[in-house]
Amino acid sequence: MQDCTTCNPEYHIWQPCQLTARPKGSVTLLCTFNYTWEATETAQVHWRLGSFYGKFIFNHTDSTHWYTDPDYEGRVSLVGDLSKALDASIRIENLRETDSNLYFCTVSVQTRLHGVKYWRNIEGTNLTVTGPPIPETYRFNLVGMVTGAAVATAVVLGLLVFVAWRKGCCPKCPQRR
């Protein structure tokens, strides 16, 4: 993954230059940042599509205010933690080939002495959605997978206990025949 970093003595912002994903899959568009100003509020994140000044696809101003472009409604979410990790990453689900485009992360913060400061990655991330769609059978639910593993483990342990009991291998159990 090639680094696309925009640096300034007062701030730094990083995105990968290129990402590739498959239709019907998902991708995380990474965006991490830091700054030297004293902030009075949590940072805000804005993602643009196509160009440095392209249309907004996602704006997150705080936990109760955000905007998602209708083409991305229900498919995009903030996965980064703006308050602790200085991470403005977003995740796009159910990818379409038409999602192939440049994505630009912009961050803003209200500072104590310098007003609102905005900065963004100059390069952006070039996302390419290509290849055969991810089949439904390969998409899985982590909870379902963990539950299935727990049930399988319980069944195997139960069988082992039963076999040990039947064979009289358990030293604390009287042998039965």
Side-chain angles (χ1 to χ4, degrees):
M1 187 180 334
Q2 184 184 359
D3 250 354
C4 283
T5 304
T6 300
C7 290
N8 181 292
E10 296 178 316
Y11 66 85
H12 167 248
I13 189 165
W14 176 85
Q15 287 181 248
C17 293
Q18 295 187 336
L19 291 174
T20 303
R22 291 174 48 188
K24 294 189 178 181
S26 61
V27 69
T28 298
L29 299 177
L30 300 170
C31 177
T32 58
F33 62 94
N34 60 35
Y35 53 90
T36 60
W37 305 291
E38 184 181 351
T40 59
E41 298 175 2
T42 301
Q44 298 178 5
V45 62
H46 316 278
W47 280 85
R48 291 181 181 260
L49 181 67
S51 72
F52 199 66
Y53 296 104
K55 78 174 183 171
F56 287 108
I57 65 158
F58 183 79
N59 290 350
H60 184 276
T61 55
D62 62 44
S63 61
T64 59
H65 298 92
W66 63 88
Y67 163 80
T68 303
D69 181 89
D71 290 339
Y72 291 84
E73 190 70 41
R75 300 189 309 126
V76 67
S77 59
L78 179 69
V79 293
D81 185 343
L82 296 168
S83 63
K84 297 176 188 167
L86 302 176
D87 183 353
S89 302
I90 59 171
R91 184 162 187 82
I92 304 174
E93 305 281 342
N94 196 20
L95 288 166
R96 307 168 184 156
E97 286 187 8
T98 56
D99 292 331
S100 295
N101 215 321
L102 278 170
Y103 291 83
F104 293 86
C105 179
T106 302
V107 177
S108 66
V109 66
Q110 177 68 47
T111 68
R112 184 170 308 283
L113 301 174
H114 305 286
V116 177
K117 291 291 190 174
Y118 291 89
W119 65 102
R120 64 181 83 168
N121 186 282
I122 295 171
E123 307 277 333
T125 297
N126 185 13
L127 173 64
T128 304
V129 181
T130 187
I134 294 179
E136 290 289 328
T137 56
Y138 292 116
R139 288 193 238 162
F140 59 89
N141 175 326
L142 183 59
V143 173
M145 190 170 78
V146 170
T147 303
V151 168
T153 301
V155 168
V156 168
L157 287 174
L159 285 173
L160 289 174
V161 168
F162 177 73
V163 168
W165 175 76
R166 290 280 294 174
K167 289 190 173 194
C169 297
C170 180
K172 293 182 181 178
C173 302
Q175 195 159 10
R176 300 178 193 245
R177 297 219 176 209

